[in-house]
Amino acid sequence: MSSTPNYDAEFCGKVPLHVINTIQPYGALLVLDRSSLTVIQVSENVEGIFGVAAPALTRTFIGDYLDAEALAFLQQLAVGMPTDKIPSVWTVQARQFPALIHVREKYILVETESTPYREEDQHSFVSIYQKIKYSMALIEAAATTEEVCSAAARELKKVSGFDKVMIYSFDEEWNGTVIAEEKRADMESFLGYTFPASDIPRQARDLYLRNPYRFIPDRTYQPVRLYPVMNPQTRAFTDLSDCNVRGVAAVHLEYLANMDVTASMSTRILSNDRLWGLIACHHKTAMPFSFELCAIFELLSHTISARIFSLHNKEKHETVTRLQDSYTRIIEQVCEKEDAPEGLFESDQTALSLFGAAGALYVRGREWYTSGVLPEKDKVEELLLWLQSRRLTRNFSSEQLSAEFDEAGSYNDMASGLLAIPVNTGKNEYLLFFRPEVEKIIDWGGNPDGRIVFEKDEKNYHPRNSFKQWRQIVKGSSLPWKEEQLAVAEILRSFLYEHSNKQA
C-alpha cells in the first residue's frame, strides 16, 4: 500500500481523448480507403498543401497528387500488415512535406506538416544529431537514475531550445514528482514538487504507451475540423489516438494557460514496458513544430528509458544477491542452533537486519520470543487476534498498518509497518516484523485537494490556477517493504514451516 494519497480523478480518466474530432493547425490529416487509396476524410486545411478544398479532395485518388515514389511506398504499405507511424516524404505541387502513415485495418491515416519541408532542415538535423550523440554518451555513462535525469534535462534544453525541461517519475498512485529540471532564470521552479495523478489522467497515460510524445506548438491555436465530420467507413468519429496532430482537450489548454505556458511537449520514459515518467517541456511563447525535433526527443527517450531500466535491474540484482547471502547465513544459524527464534534473533546475522525491521516477534503457541522495539504486549495480542481472523494462507505486509487495523494507530511510532509471516496457523505460530513511522513530506505543485474546480452545474470543470508549493506531511507510514524482501519472506515461511514440523 502506498503512503502517498491518491489524487487521481475517476471522471477525468473517462474523458474520451481519442475521439477529439479536430486537429492542431501545424499539421494536416487525410483518411484513405485502404483498398483503393481514395480520400474519404480530410482536415479542412488541406487546400494549403494540395491546392484543392477539402470537399473537392474527398472521393479522389490520392495518387493523382503524389510523386511516383511516394505513391509506390504507400501502395506497398497498404497491402502489408497494419502499422503505426511509418515516415515518408510526399512531393506535392513541387514541394516536399514530411508525412507519417498509420495503416489501420480498413483505412489509412496520413498526417503531414502543413508547411513544406525546407532543404536547410536536413543540414540542421545533421548538426543536431551530432549534439545528441554527445548527450546520449552522457546519459549512458550516468551511474544513478538521478544522474540520468539531470543529464537528460540539461542536454535536452540545449538541443531543443525550450525555456524549461523537467523530468518527473510516477509513484504507485500515478502522482508525478519532478526529479530533474533545467530552466530559464525567470521561470518558476518545480523541482521536487509532486503533481497529482489527475493532471495526467489514466486515459492520457495510456496514450503515452502508444504515442511516444505529445507536442503542442501553440495552445492558442484555432482547431481545424475534419470533413466530413464522421468517418464514412466507420460512421463514427475517427480514432486519432496515435496522431501527433490530434486536437487538445480544452481543460488541458486552460491548465497550460494557468501555468503561463504557450508551447509544451511531453515525451514518455518507459521501464520494463511500463510508463515510468515523462519529459515535460514548457515554453512561454509559441514554438514551430518539427518532426526532426520530435524524432530527437523520441530517440533520447529510448536512451533514457534503456539506461534507467538497466540501472534498476542492476540495483535489483545487487539487492537480491545481498538478501540471498543474509538469508543463507540465517538459515545456517537456525539449523546450527536447532531453534528458530534463537537462530533468527540471537546470532551474528539477525532477521531484523534482513528485513530492515526495528522489532520482531516469534510466537509459538503461548511462547513469545522478541527482539528490538515492539508495542506493548496487550497491543500485540490484539494484533495477533486480528491476523488470526484473517485466516492468512500467505504473508501479509503493510507500510500503513493503521489504515487497515484501526487499533494500530496508537503505536504508529514503533509499528507503522508490519510484515507478518504465518509459519503454521494451526499451531498459532507467527513471525512478525515491525517498522517505525517515517514522516513523509510531500511538496505539491498547488493544493491537490483543489486540483479541479467545478462550475455550478457540477458538470463543467476547470484545472487549478495556482501551482505554488503546498506542503503535506504524511504520517502513520513506514518505509515500504521492497519486492525482493517480500520474496525472501515467502521462502523463509516455507523453510520455517518445514522446520517447525521437523521439530514437532
Side-chain angles (χ1 to χ4, degrees):
M1 176 185 293
S2 172
S3 60
T4 303
N6 183 359
Y7 286 110
D8 212 343
E10 184 65 23
F11 63 90
C12 286
K14 294 180 179 178
V15 177
L17 297 180
H18 64 290
V19 293
I20 291 177
N21 206 37
T22 62
I23 67 166
Q24 299 179 66
Y26 73 81
L29 184 73
L30 298 92
V31 183
L32 312 177
D33 177 82
R34 185 171 173 181
S35 59
S36 66
L37 296 185
T38 300
V39 180
I40 59 176
Q41 191 179 26
V42 296
S43 57
E44 292 183 344
N45 62 343
V46 291
E47 187 170 1
I49 299 174
F50 295 92
V52 178
L57 188 62
T58 56
R59 297 186 298 278
T60 63
F61 175 53
I62 191 62
D64 293 341
Y65 306 93
L66 301 182
D67 61 293
E69 183 178 353
L71 176 59
F73 183 58
L74 183 61
Q75 290 171 327
Q76 177 184 342
L77 293 177
V79 297
M81 295 290 292
T83 56
D84 274 332
K85 293 188 178 178
I86 304 299
S88 182
V89 177
W90 284 10
T91 301
V92 183
Q93 299 188 97
R95 298 176 300 167
Q96 289 188 325
F97 294 86
L100 289 177
I101 302 170
H102 312 244
V103 180
R104 303 284 175 82
E105 185 176 349
K106 294 184 178 180
Y107 59 86
I108 297 175
L109 285 173
V110 182
E111 47 183 320
T112 74
E113 285 195 52
S114 55
T115 55
Y117 196 77
R118 299 170 301 175
E119 185 177 347
E120 58 266 28
D121 288 340
Q122 290 183 322
H123 301 300
S124 64
F125 180 66
V126 170
S127 174
I128 291 174
Y129 184 72
Q130 291 174 343
K131 294 179 182 178
I132 68 168
K133 287 290 289 182
Y134 175 71
S135 302
M136 291 170 66
L138 289 178
I139 292 168
E140 290 169 348
T144 65
T145 298
E146 290 74 18
E147 288 180 12
V148 169
C149 294
S150 294
R154 185 172 59 251
E155 295 302 310
L156 280 169
K157 187 177 186 306
K158 289 180 185 177
V159 172
S160 68
F162 276 102
D163 290 335
K164 179 192 287 188
V165 175
M166 300 174 290
I167 296 182
Y168 60 90
S169 62
F170 293 115
D171 64 18
E172 292 179 357
E173 305 293 351
W174 296 107
N175 303 303
T177 300
V178 179
I179 59 177
E181 177 187 73
E182 289 292 327
K183 67 178 186 67
R184 270 176 31 177
D186 61 338
M187 295 191 76
E188 184 178 2
S189 174
F190 293 142
L191 184 61
Y193 283 18
T194 298
F195 292 84
S198 56
D199 282 12
I200 306 176
R202 175 185 49 77
Q203 87 285 22
R205 297 191 298 264
D206 290 345
L207 288 177
Y208 280 110
L209 296 177
R210 302 169 58 179
N211 215 15
Y213 58 83
R214 182 74 163 129
F215 199 167
I216 304 171
D218 185 356
R219 64 166 171 78
T220 65
Y221 76 93
Q222 293 299 313
V224 178
R225 297 177 299 181
L226 301 186
Y227 178 88
V229 174
M230 297 291 184
N231 185 319
Q233 278 195 352
T234 63
R235 296 182 181 179
F237 290 161
T238 299
D239 185 348
L240 302 181
S241 298
D242 302 327
C243 292
N244 299 325
V245 297
R246 172 171 52 85
V248 185
V251 68
H252 184 62
L253 296 176
E254 187 177 354
Y255 179 89
L256 293 176
N258 292 346
M259 273 192 163
D260 193 24
V261 170
T262 301
S264 76
M265 183 173 186
S266 299
T267 309
R268 72 187 181 190
I269 300 175
L270 302 177
S271 181
N272 200 24
D273 296 326
R274 185 176 185 270
L275 188 61
W276 179 89
L278 288 176
I279 305 166
C281 305
H282 290 169
H283 206 67
K284 282 183 169 291
T285 58
M287 288 192 72
F289 175 82
S290 165
F291 273 126
E292 288 80 1
L293 182 60
C294 291
I296 289 171
F297 268 83
E298 186 173 354
L299 178 60
L300 286 181
S301 165
H302 286 303
T303 304
I304 297 166
S305 298
R307 187 55 182 158
I308 288 175
F309 180 65
S310 173
L311 289 171
H312 283 186
N313 277 351
K314 179 175 180 290
E315 180 183 353
K316 184 173 183 177
H317 175 72
E318 291 173 348
T319 300
V320 169
T321 301
R322 184 174 63 254
L323 289 172
Q324 286 178 340
D325 290 344
S326 297
Y327 171 78
T328 300
R329 180 57 187 148
I330 287 172
I331 297 306
E332 290 174 351
Q333 293 171 174
V334 172
C335 293
E336 288 172 3
K337 298 181 181 298
E338 298 186 357
D339 183 65
E342 188 177 353
L344 291 169
F345 302 149
E346 299 178 13
S347 301
D348 296 336
Q349 181 71 56
T350 70
L352 274 77
S353 61
L354 175 64
F355 294 108
L361 166 68
Y362 197 107
V363 177
R364 190 162 52 195
R366 295 183 179 180
E367 299 176 310
W368 282 37
Y369 305 87
T370 64
S371 180
V373 181
L374 281 74
E376 296 176 2
K377 187 173 182 178
D378 61 328
K379 301 293 185 182
V380 178
E381 287 175 340
E382 290 179 350
L383 176 61
L384 284 168
L385 289 173
W386 178 72
L387 290 171
Q388 289 169 354
S389 70
R390 295 175 66 96
R391 301 183 183 277
L392 299 179
T393 58
R394 56 184 306 169
N395 294 349
F396 168 84
S397 65
S398 173
E399 64 195 63
Q400 201 170 10
L401 180 59
S402 59
E404 303 189 53
F405 180 53
D406 292 340
E407 287 77 0
S410 63
Y411 46 84
N412 271 331
D413 57 336
M414 61 183 69
S416 286
L418 172 68
L419 171 58
I421 300 177
V423 178
N424 191 331
T425 56
K427 296 180 180 180
N428 191 33
E429 194 168 355
Y430 292 86
L431 174 58
L432 308 183
F433 292 97
F434 300 96
R435 280 182 175 176
E437 178 182 57
V438 176
E439 285 191 356
K440 184 174 183 178
I441 297 175
I442 305 175
D443 288 327
W444 294 98
N447 184 349
D449 291 322
R451 61 197 182 278
I452 293 169
V453 180
F454 279 93
E455 294 182 3
K456 292 181 179 180
D457 61 8
E458 297 186 355
K459 294 180 180 179
N460 296 312
Y461 61 93
H462 304 274
R464 65 191 183 282
N465 54 24
S466 173
F467 300 91
K468 296 295 183 182
Q469 181 190 64
W470 194 87
R471 176 160 289 184
Q472 180 180 29
I473 299 177
V474 180
K475 297 185 177 183
S477 300
S478 71
L479 294 175
W481 303 97
K482 290 185 177 180
E483 178 184 341
E484 296 81 7
Q485 291 174 320
L486 297 179
V488 169
E490 284 292 340
I491 299 173
L492 178 60
R493 184 175 72 89
S494 297
F495 167 77
L496 291 176
Y497 177 79
E498 295 296 332
H499 184 271
S500 174
N501 287 338
K502 182 179 179 181
Q503 293 296 98

